[in-house]
Amino acid sequence: MAGVSLVCVPLVAKSVEQMLSEMATAKVRGADVVEIRLDHLASFEPRRDLDLLLRNRPLPALVTYRPKWEGGEYEGDDGRRFEALFLAMEFGADYVDIELKVAQEFLDYLSGKRQDRTKLIVSSHNYQSTPSTEDLSSLVARIQAVGADIVKIATTAVDIVDVARMFEVMVHCQEQQVPMIGLVMGERGLISRILCPKFGGYLTFATLSVGKESAPGQPTLSDLLDIYNIKQIRADTKVYGIVGKPVGHSKGPILHGAAFRSVGYDAVYLPLLVDDFASFLHTYSSPDFAGFSVTMPHKEAALACSDEVDPIAKYIGAVNTLIKRPSDGKLIGYNTDYTGAISAIETTLQGSSGKVSAGSPLADKVFVVLGAGGAGKALAYGAKEKGARVVIANRTYERAKELANLVGGQPISLADLENFHPEEGMILANTTSIGMHPNIHDTPLSKQALKSYALVFDAIYNPVVTRLLREAEELGVTIVTGMEMFIRQAMGQFELFTGLPAPEKLMRDTLLSMQ
Ligand code: NAP
Ligand code: DHK
């Protein structure tokens, strides 16, 4: 069973006509099944509507008539629901879903008239939490005992580690050859919906577009098929991802997913919304969870959790890449932010001077780092390593002093930075989040002050051209974007993840196509 999960599009339109048109779209876009949610229809005439919907279905159909008390829209009595579901069976529905709470009553109602061609899904929904593995297993047993063809359990993730319990139960069901749909709702449960084939899930749900979800956390069909490549996920597919909080904004899944696919690397890259980094690593400790990109606020925790740390990442005090070493499962931490940013600046400087120098073009330059957080440390360390004279300016002056002491640089206040112009040819690197979406009209330094610089870099990549960069460009100053840093740090990660050279052109084209 593992590796062949069906992808089902729930139809929550208000009219039969709209549902029929969405069914056709679902088929064209690559869905395997549609779920007809009768409880969403504004006016429902069972015989006429079910005949129309099922006779004209272009794909296998699952018919569900969910009551309010189980998270649906239907408010009437169960008799009418049972009648409609029975009719759906008579009209040849491929699947019918009935809630565990009334499954026995429904089967009694059907008495001897259960149709073999229609598979009965018996479902249980928990909108608060995910029970223990033992409780989930006994729920499976109860659902089986009632006579389900397919067990369906949907719970809610309070933490991403909750999903591991569902995976455990799914794997057990698979071993016992019990078809099971196991889903964990909510943003923290997203991985249950994507990794369904890896753990032997029978089916997963995906919407045609954002806003058409029938339950919290459903991805879109195009994300599932095109970004996560779900049809290629198998039991031994490796799992990578970006760990952060928040994490939904990251372009990593699109970028790394496309890169893995282009070289035929059997892996999926997921957004991993994590609250407690150590507990996440502890829970997903199997070798298949093979490596992670790490973003705010977990870069320091990633350093603390590493069994071995690259000396530079240790010095910077932040890990943005974790690899699980296949030979012994040890976690090795790296920092590709610093190489990404510094190489982007060096390449641009080399390009603009037209000279190819033996050493770094940063050598002996005054390099002002604005900000003293994770990215600030990475830039300050990288510039120092290349022989630049580093100056640190930060809102919290104490932190500027600390970082300056660490790298052997000079601290400066933000106010003094406005008139700082000891010499020509200086470089400015903004590593604060000032100017980042949605505050795109903010800037960390006046346009006037930018005249002192030969090159201005901004770590922010959303927007790609920040106000700071736009104003620098208007003054004729060379600029380097955070997107260039992002792509280079991601290329470094790809090489650490796969041991293969990064497909640079493909990665650049992928990012460009997103802008
Ligand atoms: P961080 O560790 O939280 O550091 C934030 C820094 O910004 C601190 O120095 C903080 O000063 C300063 N800051 C924040 N708000 C400020 C404000 N309103 N006024 C003045 N200073 C302010 O964050 P980080 O991980 O270094 O990330 C910083 C930026 O870099 C983010 O925009 C992030 O997206 C970007 N980044 C980009 C990439 C890429 O690949 N392009 C990679 C990593 C990070 P205090 O010390 O006073 O708090
Ligand atoms: C953000 C960062 O800060 C990087 O260091 C990670 C990432 C990736 C992101 O948004 O995907 O490697």
Side-chain angles (χ1 to χ4, degrees), residues 248-397:
H249 63 281
S250 172
K251 298 188 190 306
I254 302 182
L255 188 62
H256 284 283
F260 286 159
R261 202 173 326 174
S262 75
V263 299
Y265 189 67
D266 182 13
V268 58
Y269 185 100
L270 309 173
L272 301 161
L273 177 58
V274 166
D275 298 281
D276 179 334
F277 194 75
S279 118
F280 166 78
L281 285 180
H282 180 73
T283 304
Y284 296 99
S285 59
S286 83
D288 276 6
F289 284 77
F292 306 104
S293 308
V294 183
T295 191
M296 287 192 291
H298 296 309
K299 288 184 183 179
E300 283 164 19
L303 172 71
C305 291
S306 301
D307 295 308
E308 289 173 25
V309 187
D310 176 76
I312 298 170
K314 192 176 211 163
Y315 189 85
I316 293 168
V319 156
N320 84 323
T321 312
L322 261 187
I323 309 295
K324 208 171 276 175
R325 195 161 52 201
S327 55
D328 56 6
K330 291 226 182 313
L331 290 165
I332 320 296
Y334 300 89
N335 189 306
T336 64
D337 281 337
Y338 110 95
T339 37
I342 294 294
S343 75
I345 296 170
E346 283 184 321
T347 308
T348 307
L349 280 175
Q350 260 149 2
S352 61
S353 75
K355 286 188 238 153
V356 182
S357 53
S360 167
L362 292 178
D364 214 34
K365 291 257 164 46
V366 172
F367 192 108
V368 178
V369 178
L370 191 44
K377 278 186 193 156
L379 266 291
Y381 174 82
K384 186 70 191 179
E385 209 211 22
K386 298 290 181 179
R389 286 172 285 148
V390 177
V391 176
I392 316 282
N394 191 45
R395 175 178 60 182
T396 311
Y397 185 66

Side-chain angles (χ1 to χ4, degrees), residues 249 295-296 299-300 320 337 370-377 393-397 399 414 430-434 436 457-461 481-487 489:
H249 63 281
T295 191
M296 287 192 291
K299 288 184 183 179
E300 283 164 19
N320 84 323
D337 281 337
L370 191 44
K377 278 186 193 156
N394 191 45
R395 175 178 60 182
T396 311
Y397 185 66
R399 289 185 82 192
L414 286 183
N430 174 44
T431 68
T432 74
S433 44
I434 305 171
M436 187 164 87
F457 162 80
D458 200 336
I460 293 168
Y461 68 78
T481 67
M483 193 55 95
E484 188 57 33
M485 168 182 176
F486 179 73
I487 195 151
Q489 63 79 30

